[in-house]
Amino acid sequence: MLRFISRRIGISFLVLLGASLLMYVLTINAGDPLADLRESNSENKQNLMDQRTEIMGLNDPWYVRYWNWLFGVSKCFALQCDFGTTRNGVSVNSLLPQAAASTMRLVVLATLIAIVVGVAIGILTAIRQYSGFDYVTTFLAFLFFSLPVFWAAVLLKEYGAIRFNDWIADPLLSPGAMILWGLGLGLILQAIVGGGRKRRLYTLGITWVFVTGALFYFEAVDWFRQPALGVGVVVIAAAGAAVLVTALVTGLDNRRVLYAALTTVVVGGVSYLALMPVLDEPNWWILFGLLVLAMALSNLVGWLWGGYDKRRAMFVSSITGFIMSLLVAGDQMLSHWASFLDLKPRPISTIGSETPNFPGGFWEDVLDKGTQLILPTILLALVSIAGHSRYTRSSMLEVMGQDYVRTARAKGLSERAVITKHAFRNALIPITTIVAFDFAALIGGAVITEQVFGWKGMGAMFKQGLQQVDPPPVMAFFLVTGVAAILMNLVADIAYAYLDPRIRR
């Protein structure tokens, strides 16, 4: 396996080297870097042209310029990277960290959402093949996959930002709207749950009553402007997640694993009550430390309860602890939503990744950056979700038709065990390839998204460098994208070996 990985890294390095040469040559021949100065009426026009010529090395042959750039990049092996300077003399090293962090924050979140949602939808549609839910999901997947990004971005800005900001100033819902929301969500949930007509009607009715009642309650207490969950709701939601994760991983018959997950919820609830003063105004290091502590406690609970099945008990407890950590963080953000609205009455901006000089505390700052992530993340995730769901569906259907799956059913295994233990793991191999390529593709697609939403990320740096025929910013974008593609493919190779032990040999 080590030889295989080393060989892949070597081949990838050669591909990256050849592609960088091609990219550099194409960039320097994309236009005239002195075009704006040639048209200038300034008295020191010639002096400005000479300065830019010297900074960009335009008097040197192209291969000398490329070699100088490549030599600077090679210093990365000694942790002293030199990505060159822009045509204005600004070091790309100072521009790259902020631009890369802005883009990666967007792309990583969109990728995680696309994987979780897309794979889940793909599994459901494979299980419910040729059902109404399958047909509707397939239609929506092709629709989202075909949407022009710039057009969808304009719609999101109109309905997800401008009209939402108008509504949140005085969030009123009419009784008819509440009933329709309840009915719509009920129809969606009964389609997902499936079953016979009686089961569908029960699901529709219960969802309709619950959602409509919740909306009436939210309207009465002005929840949309002053929301909160509270410890009780966090514990109940985490307990539901514990039961769901246990059912998916081991089944509810494994009482030790179920008790471990529920004990994790109890420990988390008590810890939340004790740490409320700390969580009211923390920092990122405190949150990271608390997350590590939560994972350690979850594993300890799983080990103590696990008995003969410690490994799965620790796994389920860890997932439960992580979900509860997310719920706690969500509760804290919701409790600071009112103060955030006082500082920023129109919470979702259509331009930029954050509000300049924002005066709020920690959670208000998180809300500011988080609300700016919503629309571009949805835009990037929609196309990926459509692709992941289709590939997952196709892969699951192919695997579920294999002999070993029919044998597992004939042996009397539960449908949960057949799907999660036998079908899903084997179906993940082609999906892993798609996810690896999709991550690098999302970085490229972020160029358009960042342009529409005014993000100062890698896309803006690439666009500016290309327009100004300035190679260093363009090559920095290429390096980040290329290295990301290589790393993701390397992760995919390692994942192959984990999913299918035969590949290790």
Side-chain angles (χ1 to χ4, degrees):
M1 190 65 188
L2 288 175
R3 288 197 300 271
F4 173 74
I5 292 175
S6 300
R7 186 165 61 250
R8 287 297 302 269
I9 291 176
I11 295 172
S12 299
F13 175 77
L14 294 176
V15 171
L16 193 63
L17 182 65
S20 68
L21 175 61
L22 179 61
M23 175 66 86
Y24 196 93
V25 172
L26 290 174
T27 302
I28 63 177
N29 287 284
D32 182 7
L34 302 175
D36 59 321
L37 295 179
R38 297 186 196 281
E39 299 173 358
S40 173
N41 295 321
S42 176
E43 294 181 358
N44 62 340
K45 168 182 172 179
Q46 188 59 45
N47 185 38
L48 293 174
M49 292 176 65
D50 292 341
Q51 287 181 357
R52 185 177 295 178
T53 299
E54 182 179 356
I55 291 173
M56 299 183 68
L58 298 179
N59 289 328
D60 296 329
W62 67 269
Y63 50 85
V64 173
R65 295 171 63 191
Y66 174 74
W67 172 255
N68 291 336
W69 173 82
L70 188 62
F71 180 75
V73 172
S74 67
K75 294 180 181 179
C76 290
F77 293 105
L79 302 180
Q80 295 178 345
C81 297
D82 181 12
F83 295 108
T85 59
T86 67
R87 69 178 191 176
N88 297 322
V90 180
S91 173
V92 176
N93 286 23
S94 63
L95 300 176
L96 186 59
Q98 184 177 359
S102 180
T103 298
M104 288 302 173
R105 185 175 61 186
L106 178 63
V107 171
V108 169
L109 183 59
T111 301
L112 292 176
I113 293 174
I115 292 172
V116 173
V117 177
V119 171
I121 291 175
I123 293 173
L124 287 173
T125 51
I127 297 172
R128 306 277 309 286
Q129 186 184 17
Y130 303 134
S131 65
F133 174 71
D134 183 25
Y135 287 127
V136 172
T137 304
T138 300
F139 169 76
L140 291 176
F142 283 114
L143 176 65
F144 292 143
F145 195 79
S146 305
L147 280 179
V149 174
F150 57 88
W151 180 72
V154 172
L155 291 181
L156 281 174
K157 290 173 72 171
E158 173 65 25
Y159 293 98
I162 297 173
R163 298 202 181 188
F164 174 81
N165 290 335
D166 293 339
W167 176 79
I168 199 65
D170 187 17
L172 296 176
L173 286 174
S174 66
M178 298 180 194
I179 293 172
L180 287 176
W181 271 104
L183 180 61
L185 291 175
L187 289 171
I188 293 172
L189 189 59
Q190 64 85 26
I192 294 174
V193 172
R197 180 176 298 179
K198 186 176 181 180
R199 182 179 177 181
R200 288 175 178 269
L201 288 175
Y202 275 134
T203 304
L204 172 61
I206 292 172
T207 305
W208 186 10
V209 172
F210 176 79
V211 172
T212 304
L215 289 176
F216 272 104
Y217 171 77
F218 291 161
E219 179 74 20
V221 300
D222 196 23
W223 192 88
F224 296 106
R225 288 192 64 86
Q226 299 179 352
L229 295 178
V231 179
V233 176
V234 169
V235 169
I236 292 172
V243 173
L244 179 61
V245 173
T246 305
L248 290 174
V249 175
T250 66
L252 297 179
D253 293 335
N254 194 327
R255 295 299 181 183
R256 284 188 170 274
V257 175
L258 178 60
Y259 294 155
L262 293 176
T263 303
T264 301
V265 173
V266 174
V267 173
V270 173
S271 302
Y272 185 24
L273 286 172
L275 293 171
M276 268 191 175
V278 177
L279 290 170
D280 189 56
E281 196 60 42
N283 57 49
W284 287 111
W285 287 110
I286 290 176
L287 289 183
F288 178 74
L290 291 176
L291 179 61
V292 172
L293 179 61
M295 294 297 98
L297 288 175
S298 301
N299 277 281
L300 178 61
V301 170
W303 184 81
L304 292 173
W305 267 112
Y308 65 89
D309 208 2
K310 291 184 186 296
R311 183 177 177 182
R312 288 198 290 183
M314 292 171 67
F315 176 73
V316 171
S317 295
S318 298
I319 298 297
T320 304
F322 182 74
I323 292 173
M324 186 156 194
S325 300
L326 294 180
L327 288 171
V328 169
D331 183 37
Q332 285 296 315
M333 283 191 284
L334 284 177
S335 64
H336 288 79
W337 176 255
S339 58
F340 172 65
L341 288 180
D342 291 337
L343 296 170
K344 191 177 178 183
R346 298 183 69 81
I348 302 182
S349 303
T350 57
I351 297 295
S353 58
E354 59 184 277
T355 304
N357 303 317
F358 189 70
F362 176 81
W363 289 114
E364 286 81 8
D365 187 61
V366 170
L367 283 168
D368 177 54
K369 292 182 173 66
T371 51
Q372 297 310 106
L373 270 172
I374 293 174
L375 299 185
T377 299
I378 290 174
L379 184 62
L380 286 176
L382 277 178
V383 176
S384 296
I385 288 173
H388 292 345
S389 65
R390 292 300 87 196
Y391 282 112
T392 302
R393 179 183 182 274
S394 176
S395 183
M396 282 291 292
L397 288 176
E398 181 180 356
V399 169
M400 289 171 69
Q402 298 295 319
D403 290 340
Y404 63 85
V405 174
R406 287 194 290 268
T407 302
R409 286 199 177 103
K411 287 166 60 179
L413 291 180
S414 65
E415 192 65 15
R416 178 202 60 80
V418 171
I419 293 172
T420 58
K421 292 184 178 181
H422 296 271
F424 180 56
R425 180 166 179 170
N426 290 284
L428 274 178
I429 294 177
I431 299 170
T432 304
T433 306
I434 303 302
V435 171
F437 282 106
D438 189 62
F439 182 81
L442 277 177
I443 299 178
V447 174
I448 299 175
T449 304
E450 290 178 7
Q451 176 70 17
V452 175
F453 288 100
W455 276 57
K456 299 298 181 183
M458 296 291 296
M461 189 172 70
F462 171 80
K463 177 176 174 289
Q464 184 177 5
L466 201 60
Q467 288 177 335
Q468 297 177 350
V469 198
D470 193 5
V474 176
M475 298 306 295
F477 174 88
F478 166 80
L479 272 180
V480 172
T481 308
V483 171
I486 289 173
L487 289 178
M488 289 303 293
N489 277 282
L490 187 60
V491 170
D493 290 336
I494 297 172
Y496 291 156
Y498 172 75
L499 294 170
D500 189 349
R502 294 173 299 178
I503 296 176
R504 301 174 195 172
R505 302 183 183 276

